Amino acid sequence: MDFCVAVSPIRWVPIVDRAAAIVDLGFSCVEVMPWNFPYSDAAGTIVVRERLAVEGLRVNSVHLPFGSDLNILSSDPGLRLHAVEAHRAVIRGSVALGAGIVVLHPGREYRSDRPLGEIVNLSTELVRDLTEAAAALGLHVALENLLPAHALSDPRLLREIVDAIDHPNLGFCLDAGHANLVGGVDGTMAAFAGRIKHVHIHDNHGTADEHLLPSLGSIAWDGFVDRLLATGYSGPLTLECYPPNGVADDEILPLVRRALGVDGGP
């Protein structure tokens, strides 16, 4: 089982500035955010890709943008169009970066009086649109399970969306930390079984999205990898933690391997 690391906690830092440090930690692949590379500049993005390769690092995935101003479910048509176009631009940049997967939030819609059916239908329409755009460029889309405050936090709703679209390039990003807050890790894994394309691993104590290293929260990691493999997943695990968590840099990957019972490495 291989491990990647998400650089999302390192906000606004170009990924090339962190490449050597990431390789020194024992990782050979990363997940990046749009602010980590010049996604609107294809030539510049190719340069980034080549510089990462020199360091021995590849980009496995790109997390598509999110936030109140980049909400594909915005009730404001203008803001919604802006968000969709921003997603499309990052999808194009992801190809130049050499990524194979883009991670997508199904919309930043908090629980409100807005009818749930309307939210599900709109999310289905826009996820289909973005999946088709990504697939046309050879990319796969991983729809991520969300935090409890979101209207689409129930993993069963996300399964409905993915099944309704039924595209071979669309599946799920199983976020273990988010699942510990809603749906349960095993329950979410079961809901996503057969369609998991990407995995985020981090821990918490079941009350907040702490992004701790595995074993520092309340998730029971024993058997996690075996159960995940039983769903048909065969890709890497992407560590999405906010350092340092009180752990020395050179102990991060060994700690993660021990917590998940994965052999190899130090």
Side-chain angles (χ1 to χ4, degrees):
M1 179 67 69
D2 292 330
F3 289 89
C4 297
V5 63
V7 297
S8 53
I10 312 169
R11 292 182 65 88
W12 312 116
V13 176
I15 181 60
V16 292
D17 293 345
R18 302 295 299 177
I22 291 169
V23 171
D24 285 346
L25 291 178
F27 297 97
S28 60
C29 61
V30 293
E31 174 174 301
V32 302
M33 293 294 295
W35 52 69
N36 297 130
F37 72 105
Y39 63 86
S40 60
D41 176 2
T45 296
I46 291 171
V47 170
V48 170
R49 176 181 177 178
E50 292 171 346
R51 289 180 62 184
L52 294 179
V54 169
E55 296 288 352
L57 198 61
R58 67 177 178 84
V59 175
N60 180 64
S61 54
V62 173
H63 201 307
L64 294 175
F66 58 89
S68 57
D69 58 337
L70 292 168
N71 177 19
I72 63 171
L73 290 182
S74 174
S75 56
D76 182 315
L79 290 178
R80 188 163 65 243
L81 177 62
H82 167 71
V84 170
E85 289 307 311
H87 280 64
R88 284 176 169 271
V90 178
I91 287 170
R92 291 191 294 270
S94 300
V95 175
L97 197 58
I101 296 171
V102 290
V103 179
L104 171 65
H105 284 189
R108 190 182 181 89
E109 179 63 32
Y110 294 105
R111 298 182 186 278
S112 66
D113 294 333
R114 195 173 177 185
L116 182 59
E118 174 187 322
I119 296 170
V120 170
N121 289 340
L122 181 57
S123 182
T124 302
E125 174 188 340
L126 296 174
V127 171
R128 177 184 287 112
D129 177 68
L130 292 171
T131 297
E132 290 174 351
L137 298 173
L139 295 173
H140 291 256
V141 177
L143 196 64
E144 182 177 350
N145 53 304
L146 300 176
L147 295 170
H150 291 270
L152 296 176
S153 62
D154 188 329
R156 295 170 296 183
L157 289 176
L158 299 187
R159 184 76 202 209
E160 289 180 16
I161 290 171
V162 168
D163 285 349
I165 296 170
D166 193 25
H167 195 292
N169 286 49
L170 175 64
F172 300 105
C173 169
L174 170 63
D175 187 299
H178 293 175
N180 197 44
L181 299 172
V182 57
V185 175
D186 287 347
T188 302
M189 189 185 298
F192 290 175
R195 299 298 294 265
I196 299 174
K197 290 185 176 289
H198 193 59
V199 178
H200 285 164
I201 56 169
H202 54 99
D203 213 333
N204 59 61
H205 291 91
T207 57
D209 190 29
E210 299 170 273
H211 285 262
L212 302 174
L213 289 166
S215 78
L216 301 185
S218 65
I219 295 177
W221 293 102
D222 289 348
F224 172 85
V225 171
D226 288 340
R227 293 191 295 276
L228 179 63
L229 294 174
T231 70
Y233 183 73
S234 59
L237 301 178
T238 297
L239 186 66
E240 194 186 39
C241 300
Y242 297 145
N245 290 174
V247 177
D249 286 353
D250 61 356
E251 276 298 310
I252 290 175
L253 192 51
L255 180 149
V256 173
R257 289 186 179 278
R258 288 193 301 269
L260 274 67
V262 176
D263 294 330

